[in-house]
């Protein structure tokens, strides 16, 4: 795919984008300058609200977005010391995500662009996770420019995608999960072990004091394909828990958490590195909520044959700075969406 993005030796077009994100259980708004510099980044997490259900309750999520969206946008504009007259376009998550949640952000964005006469840009949430790796605050050293071809692993609560990027906004999907997403597996196993929601941070914390080799859980390598599968691993943990409970033993929760985490991370890192070698990637990138995992970050840094970009922890989970970041590259490519654009709850990267 060719695009009109400037070469590094040209001055990039200047633009400030307001990003809006409501695809799941975070209500977020942010202002980003030139796709890279975060001027503000407001996030309201609903995690506590959903914790009592042990997972996201879609109806509760959309109603909470309605309550929070306007204060969050106001706070992002205020933190950036801007009014809408200082904004060049509004980027909003169009999908994938929960339909009832996506429409709240989409309608808020439409209202604002109608009032202010600004362009609107629908952004793919998975693409935005990739672009989170190049964001920084004004007082921080900017991350290096991406080096293509780049091998990206996007690991979140809903997705596990292995993607080759040959240029900005140019994605070749190599594979993805055939069943549970990596984050979903963390969440389900955390529930099984009584560790609560969201499961990723809870498993990581429990695993810290556990033995990762106490249980040898299965790894689905799926040789010859770039796909992943985590449902067998989840079932193996379930069987082990049932066996231990039947024997009357107290559950060794820390060892189970550590062994499970090691099995997931081993496969994610192993396959991503194999793909980077196979496709002669010059850089690797890991993004999405699961990229906040400490073991994953350490293992990929240790084993990768090329430099690795991973966003700082606060940009790994859902935020709107990444929507504004990706939105900028779409904006300078000329993308403008109509006001009757609908949300796309199942929008794959391969359709970009
Ligand atoms: O990207 P994200 O915020 O939302 C989606 O787009 O899905 O990812 C949320 C997922 C959840 O499944 C959560 O358990 C997982 O990311 N997660 C982690 C960690 N922090 C968040 N998984 C493993 N280790 C972590 N430290
Ligand atoms: Zn996400």
């Amino acid at each position: 795919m060719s695009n009109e993005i400037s070469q590094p030796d040209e001055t990039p077009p200047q633009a400030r984008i307001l990003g809006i994100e409501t695809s799941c259980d975070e209500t977020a708004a942010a202002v980003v300058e030139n796709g890279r510099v975060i001027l503000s980044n407001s996030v309201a997490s609903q995690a506590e609200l959903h914790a009592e259900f042990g997972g996201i309750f879609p109806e509760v999520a959309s109603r909470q977005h309605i309550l929070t969206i306007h204060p969050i946008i106001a706070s992002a504009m205020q933190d950036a010391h801007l009014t809408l007259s200082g904004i060049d376009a509004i980027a909003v998550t169009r999908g994938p995500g929960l339909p009832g949640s996506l429409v709240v952000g989409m309608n808020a964005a439409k209202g604002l662009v109608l009032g202010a006469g600004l362009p609107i840009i629908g952004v793919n949430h998975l693409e935005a996770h990739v672009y989170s790796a190049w964001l920084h605050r004004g007082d921080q050293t900017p991350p290096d420019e991406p080096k293509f071809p780049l091998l990206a692993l996007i690991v979140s609560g809903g997705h596990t995608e292995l993607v080759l990027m040959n240029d900005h906004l140019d994605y070749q999907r190599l594979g993805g999960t055939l069943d549970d997403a990596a984050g979903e597996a963390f969440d389900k196993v955390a529930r099984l072990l009584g560790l609560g929601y969201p499961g990723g941070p809870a498993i990581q914390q429990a695993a810290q004091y556990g033995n990762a080799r106490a249980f040898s859980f299965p790894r689905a390598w799926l040789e010859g394909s770039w796909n992943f599968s985590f449902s067998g691993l989840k079932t193996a943990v379930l069987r082990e828990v049932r066996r231990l409970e039947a024997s009357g033993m107290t559950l060794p929760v820390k060892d189970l958490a550590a062994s499970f985490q090691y099995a997931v991370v081993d496969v994610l890192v192993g396959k991503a590195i194999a793909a980077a070698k196979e496709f002669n990637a010059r850089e690797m990138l890991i993004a999405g909520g699961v990229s906040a995992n400490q073991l994953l970050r350490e293992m990929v840094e240790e084993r990768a044959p090329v430099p690795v970009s991973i966003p700082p922890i606060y940009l790994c989970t859902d935020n709107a700075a990444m929507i504004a970041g990706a939105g900028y590259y779409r904006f300078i490519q000329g993308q403008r969406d109509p006001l009757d654009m609908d949300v796309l709850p199942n929008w794959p990267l391969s359709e970009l």
Side-chain angles (χ1 to χ4, degrees):
M1 188 182 97
S2 76
N3 57 51
E4 292 158 22
I5 292 166
S6 61
Q7 296 303 308
D9 53 335
E10 294 170 20
T11 311
Q14 306 289 302
R16 286 194 197 114
I17 311 286
L18 167 64
I20 296 176
E21 152 70 31
T22 61
S23 68
C24 195
D25 64 341
E26 261 91 28
T27 317
V31 180
V32 170
E33 195 166 61
N34 305 336
R36 307 279 307 255
V37 187
I38 300 172
L39 302 185
S40 66
N41 183 34
S42 300
V43 185
S45 172
Q46 305 177 3
E48 271 180 36
L49 200 63
H50 297 286
E52 70 175 285
F53 305 108
I56 296 165
F57 206 97
E59 170 76 16
V60 172
S62 56
R63 296 176 83 139
Q64 189 63 24
H65 285 308
I66 291 171
L67 295 176
T68 326
I69 187 71
H70 289 295
I72 279 289
I73 292 171
S75 129
M77 295 303 295
Q78 204 172 3
D79 291 352
H81 306 292
L82 288 170
T83 61
L84 283 179
S85 62
I87 296 291
D88 296 282
I90 296 182
V92 59
T93 309
R94 190 175 183 192
L98 300 169
S101 289
L102 288 167
V103 294
V104 178
M106 178 61 79
N107 285 342
K110 286 179 180 176
L112 289 175
V113 299
L114 253 179
L118 290 171
I120 188 169
I121 298 161
V123 169
N124 181 289
H125 182 88
L126 301 174
E127 171 170 85
H129 270 302
V130 170
Y131 278 84
S132 67
W134 298 303
L135 295 168
H136 64 98
R137 287 196 292 255
D139 58 355
Q140 293 171 324
T141 316
D144 289 341
E145 289 290 331
K147 292 177 203 71
F148 301 110
L150 177 152
L151 191 285
L153 172 68
I154 309 164
V155 266
S156 70
H159 297 270
T160 304
E161 300 276 305
L162 206 48
V163 178
L164 189 67
M165 283 180 80
N166 288 309
D167 202 345
H168 275 293
L169 312 181
D170 178 353
Y171 310 96
Q172 180 189 340
R173 183 178 185 272
L174 303 177
T177 185
L178 301 176
D179 38 60
D180 291 344
E184 191 179 356
F186 270 95
D187 294 334
K188 286 179 176 171
V189 167
R191 201 178 321 161
L192 190 67
L193 299 179
L195 292 171
Y197 175 85
I203 294 254
Q204 172 171 309
Q205 204 185 356
Q208 223 182 320
Y209 306 102
N211 175 5
R213 294 177 202 278
F215 299 93
S216 128
F217 288 130
R219 279 114 165 108
W221 289 106
L222 309 181
E223 299 292 347
S225 104
W226 297 114
N227 289 326
F228 298 89
S229 167
F230 296 108
S231 69
L233 168 61
K234 179 191 64 191
T235 309
V237 178
L238 174 68
R239 267 204 221 105
E240 194 59 41
V241 167
R242 295 276 180 271
R243 191 185 68 78
L244 290 163
E245 280 172 346
S247 72
M249 271 180 69
T250 315
L251 274 190
V253 171
K254 294 169 185 165
D255 289 348
L256 286 164
S259 303
F260 162 77
Q261 176 180 253
Y262 184 36
V264 175
V265 169
D266 198 19
V267 173
L268 288 174
V269 172
K271 294 203 80 148
I273 287 178
K277 289 181 180 159
E278 172 82 17
F279 294 96
N280 297 317
R282 294 177 60 213
E283 181 178 336
M284 288 178 70
L285 182 154
I286 319 250
V290 181
S291 67
N293 185 271
Q294 208 51 45
L295 181 69
L296 174 61
R297 297 169 85 92
E298 284 166 15
M299 238 157 100
V300 76
E301 290 283 3
E302 209 175 280
R303 297 186 189 176
V306 289
V308 187
S309 290
I310 314 180
I313 305 279
Y314 78 101
L315 294 174
C316 288
T317 44
D318 290 347
N319 63 84
M322 67 184 196
I323 305 300
Y328 166 83
Y329 288 89
R330 292 276 163 197
F331 177 72
I332 63 173
Q333 193 201 31
Q335 180 177 328
R336 304 290 183 269
D337 285 309
L339 265 178
D340 64 354
M341 97 170 121
D342 199 358
V343 297
L344 298 171
N346 301 306
W347 192 12
L349 261 186
S350 52
E351 282 180 15
L352 292 185

